[in-house]
Amino acid sequence: MLLELKDITKKYGDFKANDQVSFSLNKQEIHAIVGENGAGKTTLMRMLYGMEKPTSGDIFINGKKQNIDNPNIAIELGIGMVHQHFMLFPPFTIAENVVFHHEPKKGWRYDRKKAADEVAQLAEKFGMKINPLDIAGDAPVGIQQRVEILKVLYQGADVIILDEPTAVLTPLEVKELLVSLRELVKMGKSIILITHKLNEVMEIADRVTVLRDGKVTGTLTTKDTNPEELSRLMVGRELKNNPLPSIEKGNEILSIKNIEMTSKKSGKTLLDDVTLQVRQGEIVGIAGVSGNGQSELIQAITGLAPVNKGSVTLNGADMTNRSVKQIRDQGLSHIPEDRYLWGAAKEANLVDNMMMTDYAKPAFQKAGVLKLKEIRRYVAESVKKFNVKTTSIDTSAQFLSGGNLQKLIAAREIQKNTPFLLAAEPTRGVDIGAMEFIHEQLIEKRNNGDAVLLISSELSEILALSDRVFVMYEGKIVGEFDHQNASEEKLSILMAGGNNE
Amino acid sequence: ADESGNSGNSSEDAKRVAVVLTDKIGVNPFFQQISDGATKAADEAGLEVNVIESSDPTEIEQNLQVAVAEDYDLILTATFDAVDALTRVAEQNPEQDFAIIDAVVDLPNVKSAEFREYEASFLLGAAAGLSTETNKIGIVLAMDVPQINKYKSGFEEGVAHVNSEAEVLSSYVGSFADPAKAKEIALQQNANGADFIAAASAVSDLGVFEAAKEEGFYTSGQDIDRTTDDPEHIVLSQLKNTDVVAYDFVKEYGEGNFETGTQSFGVAEDGVGLTFVTAESESPLSDFIGQETIDKVTELKDQIISGELTVTNPLAQ
Amino acid sequence: MESLFDLSLINSTLRMMAPLLLAGLGGAICSRVGVFNVGLDGLMLMGAFLGVAANAYTHNVWLAILIAVIGTTIFSALYAYMTINLQANMIVTGIAINFLSIGITTFALRTIFDVQGAYYNNEMQGLPTWEIPVIDQIPLLGNLLSGQSPIVYLGILCTIVMYFFFKKSVAGSHFDAVGINPIAAKSQGIKVKRIQYQAVLISGVLCALAGAQLSLGQVTMFSENMTAGRGFIALVATMLGQSNPIGVFLSSGLFGFTEAISIRLQGLNVPTNFTLMLPYVITILAMFIFKDKTQLSALKNSAGSSR
Amino acid sequence: MNKLKTNATVFIQPLLAVIVGLLVGTIAIMLSGESVIVTYQEMWDGAFGNLYFLTNTLERAIPIILAGLGVAFAFRAGFFNLGAEGQLVMGAVTTAIVTVYLPFQGLLNMVISIIAGMLIAGLYSFLAGWMEQRFQINLLISTLLLNYIAVLFAGYLVSEPFRDTSSAGGVPQTVMVDEASRLPKLLTGMNLHYGFVIAIILAIVIAFIMKRTTFGYEVRMLGQNVFFAQYGGINRKKIMFTSLLISGMLAGLAGSVEVLGIHYRFIEGALSNPQFAWTGLMAALLANSNPIGTTVVAIFLAALDTGSLGVERNTDVPNSISGIIQAVLILFISAKFTMNFLNQRKKEGK
Ligand SMILES: Nc1ncnc2c1ncn2[C@@H]1O[C@H](COP(=O)(O)OP(=O)(O)OP(=O)(O)O)[C@@H](O)[C@H]1O
Ligand SMILES: Nc1ncnc2c1ncn2[C@@H]1O[C@H](COP(=O)(O)OP(=O)(O)OP(=O)(O)O)[C@@H](O)[C@H]1O
Ligand SMILES: [Mg+2]
Ligand SMILES: [Mg+2]
């Protein structure tokens, strides 16, 4: 056995993030860890990597007990970690990021040429395509992910911990990543993989450990289990399968006609003649590899960036290049694609976070004075209704797990009862329980006769929820399908810039 | 604060003097002079003295009020910064004796001493105008404010009186304590041809002196005799005997012949002056100035005293 | 005025900018590692005082500078300890450091030398001026650049060294990394606190030199609060130069230059307060040209700690 | 989680800081050879010794509170306004000039001149905001530089066009404000004036605005996350400009109130020398931009000032020592002692 964690407990105050967790990893094994948001997966790995100290319990590497006090020791022991939130230096080049803290030197000088060469070689060896001289911050997430893995490999790690590596990747990138991981195992590495996606577990892992509320609820061999059993272990119940009942479509709520947007900086065309409509009682999905204009489309619809041409009509009124407030008043609600950047103020409490976009409603203010009592009651009810796990509504948002924050944002936007909802990546990085819940809510909204535009890089999500699907590629709409006609295959080809004819 | 009145000095009935300064002593040698003068007189006359520095102008009034409350017999303050505060405090406490140096407060319980520095500046300017070989004379001033500019106007008048050819270069440091910049300014004036550069910039004067030493031009000091520091380059000093006035005031008070009212100190009263002209100096007279110049300036001094010559009071416009 | 742009202008600019440059570089190295050092003025004042005090006792200007550097570095360690270990608000601590050094130097002036206001002493030797052999020979340039105090040249040298440190060295890239993303740096096994300490201590050294240039280079004396707010101008130079050594050099140069000009402009018939304003106005105008698009990481840190 | 515990640490922290500060101050006093107890006694008396000293402390706190509230307001909206000093001076000089030269009388005159001062100061701060919004000029640098310009400009105004030439004075200053336009004293014989009431009311009003109004909510959210605010439909430009305007107006009011309540005229340097603006900035930072907290801290910092005045008057401890003690107290007050010390002890205990 390469590595073993025995009876690890980690307490934050009175709260046990990990409770008597035992875990082992064999050589050339891929061992997955699954569990709901906040189950304690990241915490466990942080202790293995020396970023936290266990309250009790022991860590054995190659049978020897080790005291891993800081990441340096972990790195020396051959343990590397790719963090859930990337640990990159955006202004540095990819090569500089990879060799960081192990830089090749020429005398006192940083031998950047050698670094680039070494990184290029390393990337080649493991079959990862990157350009070492690109600026890391400008690279797409998929590439950044590779940079993180290369960094770990460069440090000579034998054990590689990956914390939710696929949450931010496009399906294609996920495929590539999984191929790379198999490659790594062949070359003698061992891998711990944290993920929320059970299909990935089934596809690639040898064993899987399930955590719930800080405790291990099972360690299974993937051959002998199935996704249903795993989800039961994770959430403690059977998951429902939400059907999409066919209902009558109503009037056009959102109508986008021939819009165009160009980058102020580079003059590049970001949106090119995009036209689409969303009607009442309909979920329209936008599929596409991220970075193909989806973000710009969101900004154009929501008023966060101006379009150069074309028109946006919402609920019967022309909303082209209006302010966010005007558009929201006209009937928009919006689950943003990045919950930390757009969707929340981390340091503010749940009340403040929940009130955004609602605070000006007559129900919550009079002559500019907030009705705090009503507001607090409303927030408390919403938190309960949407099952947001928190100690109190006065906690600041940063202490919610990702999934719970996402539920809070969904609650905020769905409860507004607007005729139109724009849902961008509504379940990114969210556990399966929460995902099920959010999907239910979207469908319910549609069934109530509202219009929903769903933008997601998760094909399964698009396919499960959309009445109609559009595919975006390089700022253009390159295809449209009905619910029945859409398939993963057809979409994938268009998403990659191919042609269906 | 009342208890300190009689019980505080039970042993003997010594009179107590508070010297309330408007700034920290270090900011200007002028404060040191007043403090020294008052302390010396108090020692001689057997008075108790307490020197209180204020950190900023807002504190002056408070310090004056507390001094009244703590039953000091005489409260001595100085400079124009104290005028507003003193006016108010003195009006509220008509029984209390006050004195102010270098500014006037016209109240029955205040004794004021004002100085006609412009007369001394005139003499300095005249000496400079007579001595310059380049017909360019510099003056480095602290700030462009009236209480500093009174030195400038007398100086320029003095130069013009004796030498219509001479040009006066005047520059401001822009602060009261930046010797490095003052030096830079002096170097600049010297580079433009000034062979005599008067220093009138409080602590920053030291920067001008250094420049003179390095570049070999001539300069003058202010308030006290600075020629002793470097007689070769600091060739004159215009004098302002605030220490003497502070000494006199306190001494008079100790001796019981303190009378309120305003006294003006000019050349005639020996309140202001110029080294070698109105007062001896330990240092030798520089050849740059020369006895001849001194004689001429001494004549001017006599004319001022006799009233034959009046120097314009820049503040009385 | 005939002498507005004479040769000595460059000379004068170099002299005036040297303290700003050195302290500005100190501010720059701090901000590169995410520390917003508002205490530059206090560190400078400490350096100026220690330089003069040590000089008066040792009669050796070089030894004096060494002592000033050591003393100021120790003083800057206080700032480092407060902000890095005790996580005190950087800006409050910086302002307190400024107040503290005014207090300490004034108090020491009185207790050590028994004077108030200023200490000078005719026996005290200031820094010599150096004629630089080769440059000296070049007809025009020689006059312009030669004949400055060694610290002026050291300032230029420090700019170059720091430029290469950040551009070429491994340690430099680690400094940057700490400023860009301290959590990531820590997760890679970098000792973030140690690097921040190093940066603050180096800024101590640089500010000591800046102060010594004032009190031993430009003049040979110490007067209370003689930095006259130069530390804040240095801070502006740091920010305007976007913490880049060359940028700091240029912005402190701009400031030194306009200040030299403003002295010359006093001869014109413009109210003095307006000529004194010139350096500040020009600096603001300069910002219209060199826009600051990048957010300083130090800024973010300090703003973060302010909430 | 544990509310009681966190509340306790909130109080323990500054307390510990004050204790450490006093300890270091003790060393400084001992160095100067004075009695530590007497010195601290004088310090206390100078700040709070009797009604006179107490009201003096409160009076000194007025401009610090107002400037601090101004800084805090901008902070809350996410803007670092280092220009309080310039704004304060602009407000003061405007008020002084308007009071004297415009033909209004009495209370009306007072109100108009205060509003004028606040407006000019607000616009001065607005200018910096506009330059950032329009030309991406870093607010920190511009506000810092605008301070120097304001001080020099005000200096020009009172030494040239608006100088008081009547008295045989030397200080550049405006003519004195007539009695009817002055801010009345709160208690006869004391220096404390109605500016204090204004400051306290404003602190409460601002606390209310921040916590209880939609505008305050918008300001807070903008300060916490600009993108979130924009996403929610908050107009960044509008909030930025109004909050900088308000911030400047508060700083300006600090100056106006000093002019009409204490000096009765604008005197060059009288408002920058006492470092009101910087002290206010520290108060805002130490109180995490909480308006009520800023007020309390401002009074504490003012007490350090007036306390050191007491030390200066009644002991032989040099003025600079009280400066040292003051600086040391401020230095330690923002340190996060308890956290580190307790944590370390916990670790070592294990
Ligand atoms: N530093 C900390 N202090 C207090 N509580 C913490 C800390 N770090 C984590 N926790 C808590 O421990 C629990 C486990 O967190 P952890 O990050 O391990 O969850 P996770 O399983 O990785 O969740 P996710 O799927 O969202 O990544 C959470 O409830 C979290 O709030
Ligand atoms: N000091 C803390 N106290 C309490 N909880 C904390 C603390 N620090 C972090 N956490 C929580 O620990 C958990 C782990 O953080 P992590 O970085 O894994 O983010 P996350 O919430 O899992 O993000 P996501 O799932 O959106 O990527 C989060 O729930 C976070 O809110
Ligand atoms: Mg996690
Ligand atoms: Mg997560």
Short mmCIF file of all heavy atoms in Angstrom, two decimals, chain C residues 46-72 124-127 151 208-209 211-212 215-216 220:
data_model
loop_
_atom_site.label_atom_id
_atom_site.label_comp_id
_atom_site.label_asym_id
_atom_site.label_seq_id
_atom_site.Cartn_x
_atom_site.Cartn_y
_atom_site.Cartn_z
N MET C 46 14.14 58.42 10.19
CA MET C 46 15.01 57.67 11.09
C MET C 46 16.40 57.54 10.48
O MET C 46 17.41 57.74 11.16
CB MET C 46 14.37 56.30 11.31
CG MET C 46 14.93 55.49 12.43
SD MET C 46 15.02 56.36 13.98
CE MET C 46 13.39 56.18 14.59
N GLY C 47 16.47 57.22 9.21
CA GLY C 47 17.75 57.09 8.53
C GLY C 47 18.52 58.40 8.57
O GLY C 47 19.73 58.42 8.84
N ALA C 48 17.81 59.49 8.31
CA ALA C 48 18.47 60.80 8.31
C ALA C 48 19.05 61.10 9.68
O ALA C 48 20.20 61.56 9.81
CB ALA C 48 17.46 61.88 7.92
N PHE C 49 18.27 60.80 10.71
CA PHE C 49 18.75 61.10 12.06
C PHE C 49 19.94 60.23 12.44
O PHE C 49 20.97 60.72 12.90
CB PHE C 49 17.63 60.92 13.07
CG PHE C 49 18.12 61.10 14.48
CD1 PHE C 49 18.35 62.36 14.99
CD2 PHE C 49 18.40 60.00 15.29
CE1 PHE C 49 18.84 62.53 16.27
CE2 PHE C 49 18.89 60.16 16.57
CZ PHE C 49 19.10 61.44 17.07
N LEU C 50 19.78 58.92 12.25
CA LEU C 50 20.84 58.01 12.66
C LEU C 50 22.13 58.33 11.91
O LEU C 50 23.23 58.24 12.48
CB LEU C 50 20.42 56.57 12.40
CG LEU C 50 19.34 56.04 13.34
CD1 LEU C 50 18.90 54.65 12.93
CD2 LEU C 50 19.84 56.03 14.78
N GLY C 51 22.01 58.71 10.66
CA GLY C 51 23.19 59.07 9.89
C GLY C 51 23.96 60.20 10.56
O GLY C 51 25.17 60.11 10.78
N VAL C 52 23.23 61.24 10.91
CA VAL C 52 23.89 62.40 11.52
C VAL C 52 24.40 62.06 12.92
O VAL C 52 25.53 62.39 13.29
CB VAL C 52 22.91 63.59 11.56
CG1 VAL C 52 23.41 64.66 12.52
CG2 VAL C 52 22.75 64.17 10.18
N ALA C 53 23.58 61.35 13.68
CA ALA C 53 24.00 61.01 15.04
C ALA C 53 25.26 60.17 15.03
O ALA C 53 26.22 60.43 15.75
CB ALA C 53 22.86 60.28 15.76
N ALA C 54 25.28 59.16 14.17
CA ALA C 54 26.44 58.28 14.12
C ALA C 54 27.65 59.04 13.61
O ALA C 54 28.77 58.86 14.08
CB ALA C 54 26.14 57.07 13.23
N ASN C 55 27.42 59.91 12.67
CA ASN C 55 28.52 60.70 12.13
C ASN C 55 29.14 61.57 13.21
O ASN C 55 30.36 61.69 13.32
CB ASN C 55 27.99 61.56 10.98
CG ASN C 55 29.12 62.13 10.14
OD1 ASN C 55 30.28 62.08 10.55
ND2 ASN C 55 28.78 62.66 8.99
N ALA C 56 28.29 62.16 14.03
CA ALA C 56 28.80 63.03 15.09
C ALA C 56 29.67 62.25 16.07
O ALA C 56 30.62 62.79 16.63
CB ALA C 56 27.64 63.69 15.82
N TYR C 57 29.33 61.00 16.29
CA TYR C 57 30.11 60.22 17.26
C TYR C 57 31.32 59.53 16.65
O TYR C 57 32.38 59.47 17.25
CB TYR C 57 29.21 59.19 17.95
CG TYR C 57 28.43 59.82 19.06
CD1 TYR C 57 27.11 60.20 18.88
CD2 TYR C 57 29.04 60.08 20.30
CE1 TYR C 57 26.39 60.81 19.88
CE2 TYR C 57 28.33 60.70 21.32
CZ TYR C 57 27.00 61.06 21.11
OH TYR C 57 26.32 61.67 22.11
N THR C 58 31.12 58.98 15.44
CA THR C 58 32.24 58.20 14.87
C THR C 58 33.16 59.05 14.02
O THR C 58 34.28 58.64 13.74
CB THR C 58 31.68 57.08 13.99
OG1 THR C 58 30.95 57.67 12.91
CG2 THR C 58 30.77 56.15 14.77
N HIS C 59 32.73 60.21 13.63
CA HIS C 59 33.48 61.07 12.72
C HIS C 59 33.84 60.35 11.43
O HIS C 59 34.86 60.63 10.81
CB HIS C 59 34.76 61.59 13.38
CG HIS C 59 34.47 62.27 14.66
ND1 HIS C 59 33.84 63.49 14.72
CD2 HIS C 59 34.69 61.89 15.93
CE1 HIS C 59 33.69 63.84 16.00
NE2 HIS C 59 34.19 62.87 16.75
N ASN C 60 33.04 59.36 11.09
CA ASN C 60 33.33 58.65 9.86
C ASN C 60 32.01 58.50 9.11
O ASN C 60 31.09 57.83 9.56
CB ASN C 60 33.92 57.28 10.18
CG ASN C 60 34.21 56.49 8.93
OD1 ASN C 60 33.55 56.63 7.90
ND2 ASN C 60 35.22 55.64 9.01
N VAL C 61 31.94 59.13 7.97
CA VAL C 61 30.65 59.20 7.28
C VAL C 61 30.20 57.83 6.78
O VAL C 61 29.02 57.52 6.74
CB VAL C 61 30.70 60.27 6.17
CG1 VAL C 61 31.61 59.85 5.05
CG2 VAL C 61 29.30 60.57 5.65
N TRP C 62 31.17 57.01 6.42
CA TRP C 62 30.80 55.69 5.89
C TRP C 62 30.24 54.81 6.99
O TRP C 62 29.24 54.13 6.82
CB TRP C 62 32.00 55.02 5.23
CG TRP C 62 32.58 55.90 4.17
CD1 TRP C 62 33.76 56.55 4.19
CD2 TRP C 62 31.94 56.27 2.94
NE1 TRP C 62 33.92 57.31 3.06
CE2 TRP C 62 32.83 57.15 2.27
CE3 TRP C 62 30.71 55.95 2.35
CZ2 TRP C 62 32.51 57.71 1.04
CZ3 TRP C 62 30.41 56.50 1.12
CH2 TRP C 62 31.31 57.38 0.48
N LEU C 63 30.94 54.85 8.13
CA LEU C 63 30.48 54.10 9.28
C LEU C 63 29.07 54.62 9.67
O LEU C 63 28.18 53.84 10.02
CB LEU C 63 31.46 54.31 10.43
CG LEU C 63 31.41 53.29 11.57
CD1 LEU C 63 31.65 51.90 11.02
CD2 LEU C 63 32.46 53.64 12.62
N ALA C 64 28.91 55.93 9.57
CA ALA C 64 27.62 56.54 9.94
C ALA C 64 26.51 56.00 9.07
O ALA C 64 25.43 55.67 9.54
CB ALA C 64 27.71 58.06 9.79
N ILE C 65 26.81 55.87 7.79
CA ILE C 65 25.76 55.38 6.89
C ILE C 65 25.44 53.92 7.21
O ILE C 65 24.29 53.50 7.23
CB ILE C 65 26.20 55.57 5.43
CG1 ILE C 65 26.08 57.06 5.12
CG2 ILE C 65 25.34 54.75 4.47
CD1 ILE C 65 26.46 57.46 3.76
N LEU C 66 26.50 53.18 7.53
CA LEU C 66 26.28 51.77 7.91
C LEU C 66 25.37 51.69 9.13
O LEU C 66 24.41 50.92 9.17
CB LEU C 66 27.63 51.11 8.20
CG LEU C 66 27.53 49.62 8.50
CD1 LEU C 66 27.17 48.86 7.23
CD2 LEU C 66 28.83 49.09 9.09
N ILE C 67 25.67 52.52 10.11
CA ILE C 67 24.85 52.50 11.33
C ILE C 67 23.42 52.94 11.03
O ILE C 67 22.45 52.34 11.52
CB ILE C 67 25.49 53.42 12.40
CG1 ILE C 67 26.82 52.80 12.86
CG2 ILE C 67 24.55 53.61 13.60
CD1 ILE C 67 27.65 53.67 13.76
N ALA C 68 23.28 53.96 10.18
CA ALA C 68 21.93 54.41 9.81
C ALA C 68 21.16 53.27 9.16
O ALA C 68 19.99 53.04 9.45
CB ALA C 68 22.02 55.60 8.87
N VAL C 69 21.85 52.55 8.30
CA VAL C 69 21.18 51.45 7.59
C VAL C 69 20.76 50.37 8.58
O VAL C 69 19.62 49.90 8.57
CB VAL C 69 22.11 50.87 6.51
CG1 VAL C 69 21.59 49.53 6.01
CG2 VAL C 69 22.22 51.85 5.34
N ILE C 70 21.69 50.00 9.47
CA ILE C 70 21.36 48.94 10.43
C ILE C 70 20.20 49.38 11.33
O ILE C 70 19.22 48.66 11.50
CB ILE C 70 22.59 48.58 11.27
CG1 ILE C 70 23.65 47.93 10.37
CG2 ILE C 70 22.22 47.62 12.41
CD1 ILE C 70 24.99 47.71 11.03
N GLY C 71 20.31 50.59 11.85
CA GLY C 71 19.29 51.07 12.78
C GLY C 71 17.91 51.16 12.13
O GLY C 71 16.91 50.72 12.68
N THR C 72 17.88 51.72 10.94
CA THR C 72 16.60 51.88 10.26
C THR C 72 16.01 50.53 9.89
O THR C 72 14.80 50.33 9.94
CB THR C 72 16.77 52.74 8.99
OG1 THR C 72 17.50 53.91 9.34
CG2 THR C 72 15.44 53.13 8.41
N MET C 124 31.60 68.02 11.44
CA MET C 124 30.99 66.86 10.81
C MET C 124 31.23 66.89 9.30
O MET C 124 30.97 67.88 8.64
CB MET C 124 29.50 66.87 11.11
CG MET C 124 28.85 65.56 11.03
SD MET C 124 27.37 65.52 12.07
CE MET C 124 26.35 66.75 11.31
N GLN C 125 31.76 65.77 8.80
CA GLN C 125 31.99 65.67 7.36
C GLN C 125 30.79 65.04 6.68
O GLN C 125 30.35 63.98 7.07
CB GLN C 125 33.22 64.78 7.09
CG GLN C 125 34.55 65.50 7.32
CD GLN C 125 34.75 66.63 6.34
OE1 GLN C 125 34.47 66.48 5.16
NE2 GLN C 125 35.21 67.78 6.83
N GLY C 126 30.28 65.68 5.67
CA GLY C 126 29.19 65.08 4.90
C GLY C 126 29.75 64.13 3.87
O GLY C 126 30.96 63.85 3.83
N LEU C 127 28.88 63.61 3.04
CA LEU C 127 29.32 62.73 1.98
C LEU C 127 30.09 63.52 0.94
O LEU C 127 29.71 64.65 0.62
CB LEU C 127 28.11 62.08 1.31
CG LEU C 127 27.49 60.91 2.05
CD1 LEU C 127 26.11 60.62 1.50
CD2 LEU C 127 28.38 59.69 1.94
N ILE C 151 25.58 58.40 -2.88
CA ILE C 151 24.25 57.79 -2.73
C ILE C 151 23.39 58.04 -3.97
O ILE C 151 22.56 57.22 -4.32
CB ILE C 151 23.56 58.33 -1.45
CG1 ILE C 151 24.33 57.82 -0.24
CG2 ILE C 151 22.11 57.85 -1.37
CD1 ILE C 151 23.70 58.15 1.09
N ALA C 208 16.76 54.19 4.63
CA ALA C 208 17.90 54.69 5.40
C ALA C 208 18.83 55.46 4.48
O ALA C 208 19.31 56.55 4.81
CB ALA C 208 18.64 53.54 6.07
N LEU C 209 19.08 54.88 3.32
CA LEU C 209 19.97 55.56 2.36
C LEU C 209 19.32 56.86 1.89
O LEU C 209 20.00 57.88 1.76
CB LEU C 209 20.24 54.65 1.16
CG LEU C 209 21.10 53.42 1.47
CD1 LEU C 209 21.14 52.48 0.28
CD2 LEU C 209 22.52 53.86 1.85
N GLY C 211 17.27 58.71 3.54
CA GLY C 211 17.41 59.67 4.64
C GLY C 211 18.83 60.19 4.75
O GLY C 211 19.06 61.39 4.94
N ALA C 212 19.79 59.29 4.61
CA ALA C 212 21.20 59.69 4.72
C ALA C 212 21.56 60.64 3.59
O ALA C 212 22.35 61.57 3.79
CB ALA C 212 22.09 58.46 4.69
N SER C 215 20.38 63.98 4.86
CA SER C 215 21.04 64.59 6.01
C SER C 215 22.56 64.59 5.89
O SER C 215 23.23 65.33 6.59
CB SER C 215 20.63 63.90 7.30
OG SER C 215 21.16 62.60 7.35
N LEU C 216 23.12 63.76 5.02
CA LEU C 216 24.58 63.75 4.87
C LEU C 216 25.02 64.05 3.45
O LEU C 216 26.16 64.41 3.20
CB LEU C 216 25.15 62.38 5.29
CG LEU C 216 25.03 62.05 6.78
CD1 LEU C 216 25.45 60.62 7.04
CD2 LEU C 216 25.86 63.01 7.62
N THR C 220 24.55 68.65 5.62
CA THR C 220 25.21 67.86 6.65
C THR C 220 24.67 68.31 7.98
O THR C 220 25.30 69.08 8.70
CB THR C 220 26.74 68.04 6.59
OG1 THR C 220 27.13 67.85 5.24
CG2 THR C 220 27.44 67.01 7.46
#
